[in-house]
Amino acid sequence: MDVKRQRRAPILEALEEYKEMRIVPFDVPGHKRGKGNRELTEFLGEKCLTIDVNSMKPLDNLCHPISVIKEAEALAADAFGAKHAFLMVGGTTSAVQSMIMVACKRGDKIIMPRNVHKSAINALVVCGAVPVYVNPGINKEVGIPLGMSYEDVKKAILENPDAKAVMVNNPTYYGICSPLKAITELAHEHGMLVLADEAHGTHFYFNDNLPASAMSVGADMASVSMHKTGGSLTQSSLLLINNDVSKGYVRQIINLTQTTSASYLLMSSLDISRRNLALHGKEIFDNVIRMVEYARDEINKIGGYYAFGRELINGDTVFDFDVTKLSVHTREVGLAGIEVYDLLRDEYGIQIEFGDIGNILAIVSVGDNLLAIDRLVSSISEIKRLYAKEDITMMLDHEYIDPEVVMTPQDAFYAPKTSVPIKESCGAVSSEFVMCYPPGIPILAPGERITQDILDYIEYAKDKGCSLTGTQDIDIKNINIVTQL
């Protein structure tokens, strides 16, 4: 990485120069630098509205960058150790879908863990690729899906030698990492691309005490959520490419779905945040690691909770663990994770990332401090004191259910369908998703058989207050099922 070059922020610099030019706007957006919407200007600030501008010659164009955006992308590639980086303004959802659509066409196979984010399966609905799911390992103690076993990936590759790519979560929502380097080498031996969903792995690129990044082990593409742990604005992301992946073709695929009106607020936030991480990332994440390790130790002293960490590493399905993830198992205090999540928000004014059936996750990153960590730990302790339940026999004893895949996601999504009460759907094939969001990992995806275990899980999640999404019926009382297999 060229540290001297990384001090540049070309999009920011171009916007500052543009503001000094005092150009009279007769283009979009219609608020005309905030003058046409005073209420919005007062809420967001004049400084913000004056840089909410349209693509133009001095500011370049994200669809076909030739100047400042091109330079910003080159700097991002240098910072992340990639052949090229694309600024993404549709979130990591857009980046994940773009890399799948680069690797696969209709009918092509892609090997992926079943606990992928819904954006990956949505990409299959759009492009018609065929998933070969590798079921992740399971940790029954904390009830979470783990990473993919090397042997399971090898088996999938040998049984599907025509697959075009292997997709890997690096890490999962809970901080679990698969053996990415070994999987990458294996996939390449068989002529397959390796795609990494690094929505929660931005920080891997800037600290040697964290798991290996996708680019460092030779993966071909990676989608990176700069806004999650890197400090940029929500919805801003990066798509990284490596090896012989065609930069021009990737740009074409991105432009199929990405807006032609890219936000300069988002792009400048990527530019500024990349510079900050490139210059100060190591010390930033050294501090984050210290804070989370402190929180993990303090929470484990409370009793009843289990803030898990590197002790889960087994060299395979948990090849490594992201120690910046503050994942806490809650069932031993008789509370579902979603119940602790709700209590933290409603009673203590603390918003964590998510709570599921058995765990909570707090994201700690560039903007946190020890005072906030202490408040979180003390609130978790008080929740145990005030709300713990002795009877935990009714707690559901699993978090991940192996799916029975009957049809491809695209075929099921577009198949003739009918809506039935979800309680009466056992045995049918789903035409849509059901998921808790966050984290957005489907309980049920299009093309999968609906089983009683799945229905029990959905009902339990509803009872505990999980936010369920995915079906046409917003109340999740009915579900679309395939009527012609």
Side-chain angles (χ1 to χ4, degrees), residues 127-239:
C127 75
V130 179
V132 176
Y133 290 127
V134 174
N135 288 328
I138 303 294
N139 183 299
K140 291 187 176 180
E141 182 184 0
V142 295
I144 62 169
L146 304 175
M148 293 189 293
S149 159
Y150 175 84
E151 289 301 323
D152 286 347
V153 175
K154 183 177 180 180
K155 182 173 182 287
I157 287 175
L158 294 177
E159 291 177 353
N160 299 274
D162 54 340
K164 300 298 183 183
V166 178
M167 186 173 183
V168 186
N169 295 324
N170 192 52
T172 69
Y173 230 119
Y174 301 94
I176 307 295
C177 296
S178 300
L180 182 58
K181 186 174 190 295
I183 289 171
T184 298
E185 291 170 353
L186 178 67
H188 286 169
E189 287 171 12
H190 291 267
M192 300 176 189
L193 296 174
V194 176
L195 322 179
D197 180 350
E198 290 188 312
H200 290 269
T202 303
H203 45 298
F204 289 5
Y205 288 87
F206 300 100
N207 195 291
D208 292 338
N209 294 315
L210 295 169
S213 68
M215 294 296 100
S216 73
V217 301
D220 299 282
M221 288 185 271
S223 51
V224 180
S225 283
M226 277 287 279
H227 69 93
K228 285 186 170 67
T229 58
S232 65
L233 290 178
T234 295
Q235 201 177 308
S236 60
S237 183
L238 296 172
L239 175 56

Side-chain angles (χ1 to χ4, degrees), residues 1 79-80 201-213 216 277-278 280-290 310 320-324:
M1 182 170 63
F80 283 82
T202 303
H203 45 298
F204 289 5
Y205 288 87
F206 300 100
N207 195 291
D208 292 338
N209 294 315
L210 295 169
S213 68
S216 73
L277 295 184
H280 309 294
K282 183 183 184 306
E283 52 264 41
I284 287 170
F285 292 113
D286 277 345
N287 186 48
V288 169
I289 291 168
R290 280 193 296 269
R310 279 188 164 139
D320 207 343
F321 182 80
D322 176 10
V323 292
T324 73

